[in-house]
Amino acid sequence: MTTSRVLYLFGSAAPPVFDVAKVIEDAQGRGFDVCLGLTPTASRWLAPQLGELERLTGHPVRSEYKMPGEPDVWPKADVIAVAPATFNTINEWALGLTHDFVVGVVAEGIGKQIPTVTMPCVNAAYVQHRAFERNVAELRAMGVQVLYGEGGFVPNQPGQGKPKEYPWHLVLNAAEEAGLST
């Protein structure tokens, strides 16, 4: 299949990230050229698979900023999907704390008006922290489509996670719709 739309797929260190190869294949089947970015911890978790993920996408897997003056190794994004997005990623992003590559790119993506969708993966204890709901609302106010609550990710109790039930299809459906509007 010929791909024409570029999807930046960014994952944080939550158990569903271990299924990212299947998600990449699904996205490619939908016509996306996928570039995979990971938070530093997610990159460490997937270290044994990084070579295979690079072969699958045809692009380097990135988790660090490039050096000044180095060329960009990825094509420009048509749409960005951030999933799974941890408590930390959501909060850093909403606050503009961009020390990590993934958060830096998505924060800048807001200003570049790149359609962006995210789906958290947090437990019910984390969402009791007042900053979380406030930062979800902040991201939504900045134009990010946050798939959280009804019709998106619904938190489980701590220790009760079901990573194989993470609704990846919702992220890709939303990315597909957002990518069509570009």
Side-chain angles (χ1 to χ4, degrees):
M1 169 175 240
T2 302
T3 56
S4 60
R5 297 168 296 154
V6 176
L7 170 66
Y8 285 8
L9 177 61
F10 290 145
S12 302
V17 80
F18 288 107
D19 292 325
V20 76
K22 289 183 224 168
V23 178
I24 291 167
E25 290 171 343
D26 187 0
Q28 290 170 332
R30 295 169 185 239
F32 283 112
D33 179 8
V34 181
C35 297
L36 179 63
L38 300 168
T39 62
T41 303
S43 182
R44 193 172 70 241
W45 286 10
L46 295 177
Q49 301 168 32
L50 293 180
E52 178 55 34
L53 293 169
E54 288 186 355
R55 282 188 291 284
L56 182 60
T57 64
H59 301 286
V61 175
R62 295 187 60 194
S63 61
E64 295 182 5
Y65 287 106
K66 66 182 181 68
M67 293 295 292
E70 286 183 348
D72 202 337
V73 296
W74 286 356
K76 294 196 181 308
D78 293 306
V79 63
I80 301 172
V82 184
T86 60
F87 178 78
N88 189 59
T89 296
I90 293 289
N91 291 322
E92 285 183 344
W93 183 7
L95 295 172
L97 303 176
T98 61
H99 63 276
D100 287 343
F101 167 73
V102 163
V103 177
V105 173
V106 295
E108 187 177 39
I110 291 169
K112 290 180 173 181
Q113 299 183 348
I114 300 169
T116 304
V117 59
T118 187
M119 188 161 58
C121 184
V122 295
N123 69 41
Y126 276 124
V127 301
Q128 297 306 308
H129 193 291
R130 291 181 357 192
F132 184 76
E133 291 288 342
R134 186 171 52 241
N135 287 329
V136 164
E138 186 67 22
L139 289 173
R140 285 177 172 152
M142 288 187 268
V144 176
Q145 184 179 359
V146 183
L147 303 172
Y148 171 69
E150 187 176 332
F153 180 79
V154 178
N156 299 304
Q157 292 303 311
Q160 305 284 315
K162 300 173 186 149
K164 294 295 181 193
E165 294 177 23
Y166 187 73
W168 280 108
H169 67 283
L170 297 177
V171 174
L172 293 180
N173 290 349
E176 197 168 28
E177 287 177 28
L180 293 175
S181 66
T182 60

